[in-house]
Amino acid sequence: MDWSGFAVYALPWMPASARLVGRAREMTNMLGCYLRVVTDNPAAAAAHGADEVLTAAVASADRLAAWTRTAAPEVWLFPDNRAVAPVAGRLAGLLGAPIQEGLVSVDLDLNDRSLLMRLETFGGRQLEEWAAIPEARPQIVLVRTDRLADPIPEAREPEVSALP
């Protein structure tokens, strides 16, 4: 399968969603690939750099898995919160994909397109860095949006369609 691009779960859209989409836009710019956002607010996703918006009021892991099998995003970014974690976890299980939660930052290794992930341990006293297995696709991560920088708006005119 040809894995390419990033997908962001921003459902429902919240102020913190802009940080997650903005960070994804920065990384997709580095790779020169496509950014897709699943959200209920296509205008906000477009304002923060989405190339494609998939609209939905709710999105089950089953629907996301079916879409992932055809669209093949190499990375899924989710906000790290209690409401979303079960969807991300089930998606990882359905796809047999690796998942990491609790990240305080995420970056890229441009040599092999793997994610470089940082998480705090020991009550925030230690920062650990992990690298995703390059062959594992998609890479699924839950990022603490409160730790991401405010985005620089990068408005686009995305393709908008309903999540199948």
Side-chain angles (χ1 to χ4, degrees):
M1 184 175 285
D2 242 358
W3 299 97
S4 180
F6 281 43
V8 175
Y9 185 93
L11 193 61
W13 186 272
M14 296 183 269
S17 300
R19 289 190 201 107
L20 193 59
V21 172
R23 182 65 191 123
R25 178 76 266 160
E26 291 171 11
M27 291 189 291
T28 55
N29 283 349
M30 284 189 261
L31 294 174
C33 62
Y34 216 60
L35 173 59
R36 298 169 178 100
V37 178
V38 176
T39 189
D40 56 355
N41 190 337
H48 290 90
D51 294 307
E52 181 180 354
V53 176
L54 300 155
T55 60
V58 294
S60 69
D62 295 305
R63 286 174 69 193
L64 296 175
W67 177 80
T68 299
R69 288 183 187 108
T70 59
E74 61 189 294
V75 173
W76 263 105
L77 297 177
F78 286 82
D80 192 2
N81 66 48
R82 289 183 196 199
V84 172
V87 176
R90 177 143 169 76
L91 176 64
L94 290 168
L95 298 173
I99 185 169
Q100 178 64 53
E101 66 178 338
L103 301 180
V104 294
S105 70
V106 62
D107 211 335
L108 286 167
D109 181 333
L110 296 176
N111 294 315
D112 63 9
R113 298 175 79 101
S114 64
L115 292 179
L116 302 174
M117 305 169 281
R118 290 169 201 87
L119 59 115
E120 293 176 343
T121 57
F122 300 104
R125 291 182 300 222
Q126 183 172 326
L127 188 64
E128 292 189 22
E129 191 165 294
W130 297 79
I133 300 167
E135 301 80 33
R137 296 290 189 264
Q139 300 173 62
I140 301 173
V141 296
L142 289 92
V143 182
R144 290 183 47 194
T145 53
D146 63 324
R147 300 300 293 273
L148 296 175
D150 288 330
I152 298 170
E154 188 172 326
R156 304 266 171 136
E157 292 185 25
E159 301 172 35
V160 179
S161 61
L163 178 69

